[in-house]
Amino acid sequence: MRYKISANVIKRLPRYLRRLTLMERQGVERTSSGDLGERMGLTASQIRQDFNCFGGFGQQGYGYRVCDLKNGISSVLGLERTLTAVVIGAGNLGRALMANFNFAECGFELIAAFDTDPRLVGTELHGTKILDAAALEEYLSSHRVDAAVLTLPKRHAREAALTACRWGVRGIWNFTGIDIDADLGDTVVENVHLSDSLLTMGYYLRGANKEDT
Amino acid sequence: MRYKISANVIKRLPRYLRRLTLMERQGVERTSSGDLGERMGLTASQIRQDFNCFGGFGQQGYGYRVCDLKNGISSVLGLERTLTAVVIGAGNLGRALMANFNFAECGFELIAAFDTDPRLVGTELHGTKILDAAALEEYLSSHRVDAAVLTLPKRHAREAALTACRWGVRGIWNFTGIDIDADLGDTVVENVHLSDSLLTMGYYLRGANKEDT
DNA sequence: TAGATTGTTAATCGATTAACAATC
DNA sequence: TAGATTGTTAATCGATTAACAATC
């Protein structure tokens, strides 16, 4: 992290990783900025610029070994170090993430989930225990938790974020739909606003239809 | 849609809408680019530039009426016209969306869901019937469906997208984690890559920790 | 009217693209 | 060596910010 890398570049890294994983699975061993650019709809220039933020993963005259490039990007994203996460709110969405989302692939280990519903407390889903939300603070005080996944009702979101933050949680993956812009210090908040995504799609959809008429 | 509005601007619109809805609820009737900028962490200039892509919603010397501004942005996003959507894949994630996500607020009506699981077929969730996936094409041929929500397993994603597209669905809200870059013509694809979001957060998290040591 | 704040034009900044020398 | 393709510097393009005249 010599210079500050622009957020645009960072946001492209997961996409590179995804594409390279796919290529590796397809048996592609070697690529070039031109080839990769064509596959991903980016210019060769941009790809080389992006990679060179991290020192470059290629070889002049040859290109990039898919495997090395993938490892390089994984390493930039820090995937060799696993962080811990807990789910706060084991409703439909929380359980959907517990059951379907591959935390490990993103460098996280899901170590617990919390909910207030007595029917859920004590059960286990996909290897993760659901604990009583009342025991959250005690849990946070006795375990190192790097990130909290907020999948609880909106109205409790702020409070949960502050609590987590107070007990040393440094990352908040926020699915509640509200913007958490409280004074969380240097805690990293990643807001997942599904409605933004659908609204944006709607804009283009309606625009496209308009042109038809 | 005189000139092409940049995607950056469009992506900010839902956030404006969200904030204005909040302000309205808090009883704020009037705002200015300066005030709104402070609340949202944007410059007053950018806010005025953004709004003026659509002709401006304000009044010199006064500012903006929260209600008018909100309506203006709603209208730009086309929220007065409701589009129809179906969920394809009623697993955890599909059901989480059916139960918790406010489609109406985004200008969509969820008119059906599809799944292959016989235990689910015929049931109803939050007012939406879950139908047999085998009947999907027939349904699409006899109903106007504007958008398909893909919440089925990765391996069926491409096929489902192509089917939907073939029957006139113009928008794909894709939760499957693969990139749908097939030849879908002018169909709008909105990929929701949750892993991108978590990977990005992980990058900053690990970076932040590094600085500590 | 005077003050405020927009709408809009001009200046700056950053990100993307193009070009090319280095080198495998 | 000759060909290819990177790493990197320079040029271009677009987005953000600043400035200011218009006007409520």
Side-chain angles (χ1 to χ4, degrees):
Chain A
M1 224 202 231
R2 211 144 309 172
Y3 294 83
K4 194 173 182 283
I5 312 285
S6 102
N8 287 7
V9 174
I10 300 305
K11 271 191 290 189
R12 276 193 293 270
L13 295 183
R15 241 187 103 211
Y16 286 127
L17 197 59
R18 196 141 29 84
R19 176 62 61 159
L20 290 165
T21 304
L22 184 65
M23 285 167 73
E24 205 175 39
R25 214 158 33 220
Q26 291 171 344
V28 182
E29 285 182 1
R30 175 183 164 178
T31 186
S32 66
S33 55
D35 171 58
L36 191 58
E38 206 170 317
R39 290 171 192 263
M40 299 184 64
L42 301 172
T43 63
S45 266
Q46 180 165 61
I47 287 177
R48 293 206 298 281
Q49 288 280 23
D50 282 355
F51 294 169
N52 276 90
C53 293
F54 311 103
F57 304 111
Q59 199 175 16
Q60 278 147 328
Y62 176 89
Y64 304 89
R65 281 172 48 81
V66 171
C67 159
D68 291 352
L69 189 50
K70 190 188 147 220
N71 290 338
I73 292 174
S74 289
S75 160
V76 168
L77 287 169
L79 292 188
E80 67 279 352
R81 183 153 80 87
T82 298
L83 301 178
T84 56
V86 298
V87 162
I88 303 183
N92 281 291
L93 183 55
R95 292 205 306 278
L97 289 174
M98 291 170 75
N100 301 318
F101 186 77
N102 196 333
F103 283 91
E105 218 166 55
C106 295
F108 284 85
E109 188 197 355
L110 191 59
I111 56 174
F114 295 88
D115 204 279
T116 50
D117 186 339
R119 286 168 300 178
L120 288 173
V121 172
T123 65
E124 197 177 308
L125 182 55
H126 242 248
T128 304
K129 285 208 174 92
I130 302 178
L131 308 176
D132 190 332
L136 175 61
E137 295 206 47
E138 198 222 307
Y139 187 92
L140 292 176
S141 72
S142 57
H143 296 74
R144 182 195 166 101
V145 176
D146 296 303
V149 184
L150 297 193
T151 46
L152 74 175
K154 274 187 179 48
R155 64 185 176 287
H156 299 123
R158 210 186 117 87
E159 195 203 324
L162 288 168
T163 300
C165 191
R166 196 165 52 244
W167 288 100
V169 174
R170 311 294 296 280
I172 304 280
W173 200 25
N174 173 33
F175 283 82
T176 63
I178 65 157
D179 288 301
I180 296 185
D181 39 12
D183 26 312
L184 295 177
D186 56 357
T187 293
V188 180
V189 179
E190 182 75 22
N191 293 306
V192 181
H193 285 301
L194 296 180
S195 61
D196 286 14
S197 161
L198 187 58
L199 284 166
T200 304
M201 183 172 97
Y203 172 84
Y204 290 111
L205 257 184
R206 283 172 252 246
N209 287 348
K210 230 176 278 166
E211 276 166 32
D212 285 353
T213 44
Chain B
M1 224 203 232
R2 212 143 309 173
Y3 293 84
K4 196 174 180 281
I5 312 284
S6 102
N8 286 6
V9 174
I10 301 304
K11 272 191 290 188
R12 276 193 292 270
L13 295 183
R15 240 187 103 210
Y16 286 128
L17 197 58
R18 196 139 30 83
R19 176 62 60 159
L20 290 165
T21 304
L22 184 66
M23 285 166 73
E24 205 176 39
R25 215 160 30 221
Q26 291 171 344
V28 182
E29 284 181 2
R30 175 184 164 178
T31 185
S32 66
S33 55
D35 171 58
L36 191 57
E38 206 170 319
R39 290 171 192 262
M40 299 184 63
L42 302 172
T43 65
S45 266
Q46 180 165 59
I47 288 177
R48 293 206 298 281
Q49 288 280 25
D50 281 355
F51 294 170
N52 277 90
C53 293
F54 312 102
F57 304 110
Q59 200 175 17
Q60 279 149 326
Y62 175 88
Y64 304 89
R65 280 173 48 82
V66 170
C67 160
D68 291 351
L69 189 50
K70 189 188 149 216
N71 290 339
I73 292 174
S74 289
S75 161
V76 168
L77 287 170
L79 292 188
E80 68 279 351
R81 183 153 80 86
T82 297
L83 302 178
T84 56
V86 298
V87 162
I88 304 183
N92 281 290
L93 184 54
R95 292 204 306 278
L97 289 174
M98 292 170 76
N100 302 317
F101 186 77
N102 197 332
F103 283 91
E105 218 167 55
C106 295
F108 284 84
E109 187 197 354
L110 191 58
I111 56 174
F114 295 88
D115 204 281
T116 51
D117 186 338
R119 286 167 300 178
L120 290 173
V121 172
T123 65
E124 199 176 305
L125 182 55
H126 242 248
T128 304
K129 285 209 173 92
I130 301 177
L131 308 175
D132 190 330
L136 175 61
E137 296 206 46
E138 198 222 305
Y139 187 92
L140 293 176
S141 71
S142 57
H143 296 75
R144 182 194 167 102
V145 176
D146 296 303
V149 184
L150 297 193
T151 45
L152 73 176
K154 275 188 178 49
R155 62 185 178 284
H156 300 122
R158 209 187 118 87
E159 196 203 323
L162 288 168
T163 300
C165 190
R166 196 165 52 243
W167 289 101
V169 173
R170 310 294 297 281
I172 304 280
W173 200 23
N174 173 33
F175 283 82
T176 62
I178 66 158
D179 288 302
I180 297 185
D181 39 12
D183 26 311
L184 295 178
D186 55 357
T187 294
V188 180
V189 179
E190 183 75 21
N191 293 306
V192 181
H193 285 302
L194 296 180
S195 61
D196 286 14
S197 162
L198 187 58
L199 283 166
T200 304
M201 184 173 98
Y203 172 83
Y204 290 110
L205 257 183
R206 283 173 251 246
N209 287 347
K210 229 176 279 167
E211 276 165 35
D212 286 351
T213 44

